[in-house]
Amino acid sequence: MTLIADSAIDTLWYTRCPVPTASGLANSLGWLDRTANESGVRFGVLQDAGPELAVRHFDHHLSGLIREGGNVPALAARASGSPTRLIGLTWIDEAQAILVRGDSDIREAGLLAGARIGIPAWAADQARSFPRAMALHGFASALRLGELSFADVTLVEVATTAAPEVRTASSTRNTTWGVESLLRGDVDAIYVKGARAQEVAREHGLAVAVDLDSTASLRDRVNNGTPRPITVHADLLEQRPDIVVGFLAESLRAADWAAANIDEVRAVLQTETQSGPEGVVAAYGENFHTGLHLSLSDERVDLLGVQKQFLYAHGFLAADFDLQSWVAHEPLEQARALVAAQKGTEE
């Protein structure tokens, strides 16, 4: 790949959430940096940049940025007018559960009737209110499984960070909002997800009332990370499509690599999530490393549409928008062709 003269894009910026992603592995392996260098631009990771760039993780107002992370900020940014395109989706189940105290009688969805459920308060803006969005959708799914609705429970706001930023190597991000309220008896149930959440539950003797990952329907598991989007600033896609295709190609190669290197993948993920090996396995299962490949299948886009409509109905989007027009299929198609062609020359 060659440098395009007079290009306004001089840096490929990358940001992600601390969860299993092929792009995160590609970054850890140094492949994204390599792609940027071969394209004649610098490479920067938003998590390593100064605090002045941290908000770009949520509003995506950075022309050279590619983001892989939770869909709440991605959808909220697009709904607020951020010029982004959707170029990939992954689906990795990451333990979602409704937790109760160990002495609680609530052990199934139907028994949530009359419960006080902990919902994180609104943050500084819609995109950074993803903890509230996750809990609301998690409880909505659990209540539906019990043939209940929000009319059958009492919502109690619990404290959260007003302005969460991207997590750096020396910082942590809370994923268990409401644990203190649950332990104090202020609420009867909370929603949790991810590796650290599993460890916190064990540390405090909390019990799983509803295991959302055990549900047969993918729609009951739709939430902030399922499906997880990759979005790109429209300027980068328009000015340097070669960089976007290269980024996706490296992610596809990393997904191939992950399928054959589970121990290395788990080591990376333990660092990302700041959890132990048991927490990683409990949160993501034994075989998550085989399913990191990107897709823009009709099913995944439709599931993202389920999330979009939920967020819009509950006030997390500034406006509704057409999901199909947001999708850019060509970069992933070209990346797949590039990887296939390179595999062919190696065989």
Side-chain angles (χ1 to χ4, degrees):
M1 300 178 186
T2 59
L3 176 64
I4 296 177
D6 300 324
S7 173
I9 304 295
D10 61 5
T11 303
L12 168 60
W13 286 100
Y14 168 63
T15 182
R16 85 285 187 192
C17 295
V19 291
T21 62
S23 67
L25 291 174
N27 177 54
S28 296
L29 293 166
W31 296 353
L32 299 184
D33 194 358
R34 176 182 67 190
T35 290
N37 290 335
E38 291 176 352
S39 300
V41 298
R42 295 186 294 272
F43 178 67
V45 178
L46 211 60
Q47 280 76 1
D48 300 331
E52 67 278 0
L53 286 180
V55 71
R56 305 287 87 91
H57 179 83
F58 297 101
D59 66 23
H60 213 131
H61 290 315
L62 185 62
S63 60
L65 182 64
I66 298 180
R67 179 189 187 277
E68 181 164 16
N71 58 48
V72 175
L75 288 163
R78 176 63 186 84
S80 296
S82 182
T84 62
R85 299 297 301 278
L86 175 65
I87 57 174
L89 287 166
T90 59
W91 183 286
I92 302 296
D93 284 309
E94 49 176 342
Q96 298 184 72
I98 304 302
L99 295 185
V100 296
R101 291 182 299 279
D103 59 358
S104 173
D105 293 330
I106 302 174
R107 288 295 189 274
E108 60 183 61
L111 296 179
L112 285 169
R116 298 164 300 163
I117 64 173
I119 302 295
W122 284 98
D125 51 46
Q126 291 163 312
R128 283 180 284 189
S129 295
F130 64 89
R132 183 181 184 88
M134 288 195 300
L136 276 174
H137 207 162
F139 272 111
S141 297
L143 291 168
R144 184 168 58 251
L145 291 172
E147 299 183 350
L148 302 171
S149 71
F150 284 120
D152 298 301
V153 296
T154 300
L155 276 62
V156 178
E157 287 199 348
V158 298
T160 188
T161 304
E165 304 295 351
V166 293
R167 202 191 73 188
T168 66
S170 61
S171 66
T172 60
R173 174 180 287 174
N174 188 8
T175 58
T176 52
W177 301 274
V179 168
E180 295 82 2
S181 297
L182 181 61
L183 294 173
R184 287 196 305 266
D186 297 337
V187 298
D188 302 308
I190 60 172
Y191 165 88
V192 299
K193 70 96 177 175
R196 182 58 187 146
Q198 297 296 303
E199 294 178 340
V200 168
R202 287 195 299 271
E203 290 169 6
H204 295 289
L206 302 177
V208 174
V210 184
D211 179 3
L212 292 169
D213 284 337
S214 67
T215 60
S217 171
L218 290 180
R219 286 179 173 251
D220 289 327
R221 289 178 260 157
V222 168
N223 210 301
N224 185 43
T226 42
R228 181 172 289 111
I230 299 181
T231 53
V232 59
H233 195 285
D235 286 352
L236 178 58
L237 183 57
E238 180 178 349
Q239 296 181 34
R240 297 299 307 269
D242 58 314
I243 295 178
V244 178
V245 172
F247 175 97
L248 292 173
E250 297 292 21
S251 296
L252 292 172
R253 294 187 190 99
D256 289 339
W257 174 86
N261 293 276
I262 179 58
D263 290 337
E264 291 90 339
V265 172
R266 284 180 177 157
V268 171
L269 193 54
Q270 286 175 46
T271 300
E272 289 271 22
T273 62
Q274 299 187 355
S275 301
E278 291 184 359
V280 170
V281 173
Y284 303 108
E286 296 283 352
N287 300 310
F288 73 90
H289 64 294
T290 64
L292 295 177
H293 286 86
L294 313 176
S295 172
L296 284 171
S297 66
D298 290 343
E299 180 185 41
R300 284 192 184 170
V301 174
D302 287 345
L303 290 167
L304 184 63
V306 171
Q307 174 73 333
K308 180 178 75 76
Q309 290 309 115
F310 180 88
L311 295 176
Y312 181 62
H314 289 82
F316 293 95
L317 303 185
D320 200 0
F321 63 92
D322 180 63
L323 188 60
Q324 291 298 331
S325 66
W326 191 35
V327 181
H329 289 275
E330 294 82 3
L332 184 54
E333 293 170 354
Q334 293 171 11
R336 284 173 174 160
L338 179 61
V339 172
Q342 292 175 338
K343 284 182 178 178
T345 62
E346 295 170 358
E347 294 176 354

